[in-house]
Every structure is written in structure tokens, then in C-alpha cells.
Amino acid sequence: MIEFDFGAVLAEWPLLLRGLAWTVGLTVIAVPLGLLIATLGAWARACGSTALRRGVGVYVELLRNTPFIVQLFFVFFGLPALGVKLSPEAASLIAMTLNLGAYGTEILRAGIQAAPKGQWEAAQSLALGPTQVFTRVILPPAFKRVWPAMTSQIVIVMLGTAVCGQISTEELSYAANLIHSRNFRAFEATFVALAIYLALSLITRRLLLWAGPKWFFGSGRRP
Amino acid sequence: MIEFTLWDILRNLALALRWTVALSLIAFIGGGLVGGTLLCLRIGLGPKTQRVIGAYVAIFQGTPLLMQLFLAYFGVSLLGIDVSAWTAASLALTLYTSAYLVEIWRGCVEAVPRGQWEAARSLAMSFGEQLRHVILPQAARLAIAPTVGFLVQVIKGTALASVIGFVELTKAGGMIANASFKPFLVFGCVALFYFVLCFPVSLAAQHLERKQHGRTA
């Protein structure tokens, strides 16, 4: 008969809470940075020179076709060989940001491509500069169009933090492993962490789908 | 101490690549079978089954694959079965793949116009016949491009099996990096191997998608 003891895991709640804080914290910092890269990348792919477009294309395809864990190991273990020494947290942030940047670029590009050609022309005919056309006319509706896909990607990046425990970033999965090594309740510790991740991803998805249109682009009024 | 030349590194990584490919195939085929079964249940049975399968999908999409692997690893051992990394990785990746595939395929079935069901029913076809002769052939054509695209996710997902001790490309890379003291070179090569494996699949998916849009437009 298998006996479960979830109490032994839940008794370590300060550790779990700390891990949760790291998971959320890393995500909260990496997501805006990643979206910034995505915006720049999408701009480069829509308006940049051929060389720039190609360069961004290489970045996007390289990151989209390799596993996150390998990217993380490359940043954390590989870069010090070039003299760049990083803390686990910094390496995690860099890997997460670059990863979201690449996926975000591709997602946003689809949203920009869906913009009718007439909108570009109408904006240009109002004597707006290329940057103005992009940031004022093209970008907000593009973001709106792809926001559900972007939300999914943000949730995936947040769940990706579980991998960062492998380079000893003290996030949630790291906390679960720590608890397991203290009380040998491996299954229960993993199960509890899994439940927290599930709640976190459901809440994050709801929050982003609600906050995006309300604060970032919708509402009709633009600054 | 043994010196690692670039050739040694590449050769060992290429040998480990087999296991990445093997695990990807297991996950994809197993996931396809489980996903297909779940899809049929979802279409054929009532709203209760739909809700259960919906929850199944939400759980696998809402939790990290790494933790799913851990859970399979520790869960199977609770049942008293001797767990090799093979068993746990195959189980976890199969379930993970099935959850995504059932969702992708459901979308394709729903994309078949409602009238097709009704037309088939008006020809006095039974439910199974409607599905087999009318709906699934159309849905399958829609499903090819996203399914191939998802294969890339599966290949990348196998990298996480390294964490529970499955020696595939990523794990081998880590071991070689430790032994050779050349992490930059080794992980660079590992990334390149994954890229060589995944990029053609990505291109194929894009190509199929474009072809499909060309047909419907």
C-alpha cells in the first residue's frame, strides 16, 4: 500500500513560497524585456534593411529550433569560457529574455503581416515618419491581434523557469527538489510543485488576457 | 588526462543524437496513438468526457514538462516498477505529446464545416461512418502542417529527459563539457545538432502550411 504524506511537504511552505517568488520574479523581469526585443525584432523584420532582416531571421530560427535547456547551459556554462561570468539568476534571465524575444518576434511578425497595406499607405499619406507609422498605427493593433498567442508564449516561458533550477536558480522546482532531499517525499514534493505551477499558469493566462486589452492597447484612446 | 579534439566531441555527440531521435519517435508515435484515442472519445462521447479531456490538456499545458518527467519518474517507482530513465521519459513524453496533439487535432475536426456532418447524416451514415468517410479525411488534411510543426516541440522536449539521467544529446553534451573543459564549444555543438535536426522539420511545416493556404485561398 502506498502511503502519501503531503503534510511533510506543505510544512516546508516557506521554501515553496520563496521558490514561487523567484519563479514569478524572474518572469516579471524577463517578460517586458523579451517583449521589447520582440518589438524591435518585428520592426527589423518589417522595416529593416535586407541584412538586418536576415540577421534577425537567423536569431529567431536559431532560438526556435534549439531546446531552452541547451540555451540556458550555453549561457551559464559556455559564456564563462569567454570571460563572461554570470550568476545563475542572471544566466536564467538572459536565456529567458532571448528565448521570449525570438518567439515573440515571430508571433508579432504574423500580427504585423496581417495589417492591411492600406493602413501603411494611409499613415504615410498623413506625413508620419516610418517610425511613427510603425509605433502608432501598425504596432498596437498587431499586438492586439496576436495577444492570445503571446499570452500562451509568456506562460510557456514562465513554466520554462523550472529548467533554471538545473543551474541552481532557486525557483519553485529547485525548492521542490530541496524539500525532496530533506524528507525523501519525492512524489509528494513534485506533485505539490506541479499543482502550484498549474494554478500559476491559469492565473497568469487570465491576468494577461484581461490586462492586455485593458491597459496596453485597446480602450480606443492612445497617448 | 585525455585530450578532446573537436572530432571526438562531434563523434560522441553524433552517437548520442541517436537516443534523442529514438526518444522523439517513441514520444511522437505513442503520443499520436494516445492522442488519437482521446480525440475519438472526445468526439464520440458526451460533454462529461469532453470536460475530462479538457482538464487533461490543461494540466499538461499548464505545468512544466520537467516536473511531469519528475512525477513520472517518482510515480512509476511508487508502483513498485523498476524505473529506468527510459520508462519514465517515454511515459512522460508520450502523455505530454498526446495532450498537445489531441488539442491540435480537435481544432482541425472543428474546422470541418458543420454542414459536412449534417450532409453525411442525411445520407444515413452511422456516426462511425460519418467520422471515417467524411470528417476525418478532411480534418487530417488540415492537421498535417500543425502536427509536423509540433514535432519540433517534441524533439526539443526530449532534451529535458537529460535531467532524470537519460543519456541523450543534452546529457552527453554536459558530460563531455565536464570532461573536456570546453563548455562553450560543446554546448555550441549541441545547439547546432538540435538545429540541424529541427530546422528542416520547421521548414517542412512552414512549406505545408503555405501550400494549404494556397489551396484554400
Side-chain angles (χ1 to χ4, degrees), chain A residues 53-139:
Chain A
R53 253 201 303 251
R54 227 170 262 160
V56 174
V58 169
Y59 157 67
V60 168
E61 292 304 336
L62 269 181
L63 272 97
R64 270 162 37 100
N65 286 293
T66 51
F68 176 66
I69 188 170
V70 175
Q71 293 161 13
L72 186 69
F73 284 178
F74 185 79
V75 171
F76 186 66
F77 297 117
L79 289 188
L82 299 185
V84 188
K85 196 113 180 66
L86 293 164
S87 69
E89 292 79 19
S92 302
L93 262 183
I94 292 174
M96 287 168 71
T97 304
L98 290 178
N99 191 278
L100 180 60
Y103 280 93
T105 297
E106 194 63 12
I107 292 172
L108 205 51
R109 188 174 72 116
I112 289 170
Q113 266 178 352
K117 209 169 156 42
Q119 291 205 350
W120 290 90
E121 290 164 356
Q124 273 158 4
S125 74
L126 291 173
L128 294 177
T131 318
Q132 279 177 316
V133 175
F134 185 77
T135 55
R136 303 273 166 114
V137 180
I138 301 300
L139 197 57

Side-chain angles (χ1 to χ4, degrees), chain A residues 64-66 77 103 162 166 194 201, chain B residues 62 66-67 156 163 183 191 202:
Chain A
R64 270 162 37 100
N65 286 293
T66 51
F77 297 117
Y103 280 93
Q166 295 305 310
L194 216 66
S201 70
Chain B
L66 184 68
M67 302 307 278
K156 288 190 296 179
V163 175
S202 292

Side-chain angles (χ1 to χ4, degrees), chain A residues 2 4 61-62 64-67 69-70 73-74 77-79 81-82 103 159 162-163 166 173 176-177 180 186-187 190-191 193-194 197-198 201, chain B residues 58-59 61-64 66-68 70-71 74-75 78-79 152-153 156 159-160 162-163 170 183-184 187-188 190-191 194-195 198-199 202 206:
Chain A
I2 307 164
F4 291 114
E61 292 304 336
L62 269 181
R64 270 162 37 100
N65 286 293
T66 51
I69 188 170
V70 175
F73 284 178
F74 185 79
F77 297 117
L79 289 188
L82 299 185
Y103 280 93
L159 296 178
V163 177
Q166 295 305 310
S173 77
N177 277 335
H180 148 209
F187 185 83
T190 314
F191 192 88
L194 216 66
Y197 275 117
L198 185 61
S201 70
Chain B
I59 287 170
Q61 297 193 350
T63 57
L66 184 68
M67 302 307 278
Q68 294 165 20
F70 274 129
L71 201 70
F74 300 126
L78 275 185
L79 299 174
V152 176
Q153 301 296 108
K156 288 190 296 179
L160 292 178
S162 62
V163 175
T170 306
F184 185 79
F187 284 116
V190 170
Y194 275 108
F195 184 78
C198 292
F199 191 54
S202 292
Q206 274 171 28

Side-chain angles (χ1 to χ4, degrees), chain A residues 193-208:
Chain A
L194 216 66
I196 299 176
Y197 275 117
L198 185 61
L200 197 57
S201 70
L202 292 175
I203 293 169
T204 307
R205 180 179 298 274
R206 280 276 166 81
L207 195 68
L208 285 173

Side-chain angles (χ1 to χ4, degrees), chain B residues 82-192:
Chain B
D82 180 34
V83 212
S84 63
W86 265 107
T87 325
S90 305
L91 178 69
L93 281 163
T94 296
L95 294 180
Y96 167 84
T97 307
S98 74
Y100 276 83
L101 285 181
V102 74
E103 190 67 3
I104 292 171
W105 291 344
R106 181 187 64 94
C108 296
V109 168
E110 280 176 6
V112 175
R114 198 75 221 148
Q116 296 284 328
W117 285 97
E118 288 160 9
R121 205 176 316 142
S122 73
L123 292 174
M125 285 182 173
S126 70
F127 182 77
E129 286 170 335
Q130 292 170 28
L131 209 58
R132 204 167 62 238
H133 297 302
V134 180
I135 305 303
L136 286 186
Q138 301 184 63
R141 208 172 307 147
L142 292 175
I144 292 174
T147 306
V148 172
F150 181 67
L151 182 55
V152 176
Q153 301 296 108
V154 176
I155 297 172
K156 288 190 296 179
T158 60
L160 292 178
S162 62
V163 175
I164 56 170
F166 186 98
V167 183
E168 38 64 79
L169 191 49
T170 306
K171 181 79 180 170
M175 284 151 58
I176 298 169
N178 283 339
S180 66
F181 300 106
K182 291 175 184 162
F184 185 79
L185 178 68
V186 174
F187 284 116
C189 290
V190 170
L192 208 64

